[in-house]
Amino acid sequence: MAKRWSAEDIKDLRDLAEEYSAQAIAEKMDRTVGGVAFKAHQLGVPLKPRSQLADANVRGSSSDRHRQEAADV
C-alpha cells in the first residue's frame, strides 16, 4: 500500500522540487519516482530534469567524470 502524503511531505516536495529531480526527491523522501512525479503533477509543481547539476551531488556522476577524463587525454 502506498504511503499517504502528509502536509509536511507536500511542503518538502515543493521545497525539494526547486532544486532536485523526481528521482533525487524520491531517494530523499523514501518514495517511488512515479509517486513523486504523480503528486507533483497533481499539485502543479514543476520538477527539474534528471540531468540537473544538483542531482550529481546526490548520486555522483561517474559517467561525466569518465567523459572529462577522456577529453583531457
Side-chain angles (χ1 to χ4, degrees), residues 16-46:
L16 291 169
E18 293 176 13
E19 237 182 294
Y20 298 100
S21 68
Q23 182 170 353
I25 294 169
E27 290 173 12
K28 289 176 176 289
M29 297 185 73
D30 193 30
R31 292 185 175 269
T32 65
V33 175
V36 167
F38 182 73
K39 192 61 172 181
H41 176 74
Q42 281 184 322
L43 298 169
V45 175

Side-chain angles (χ1 to χ4, degrees), residues 61-73:
S61 185
S62 63
S63 62
D64 290 341
R65 270 185 259 128
H66 291 298
R67 269 188 245 126
Q68 184 61 42
E69 289 169 3
D72 290 342
V73 173

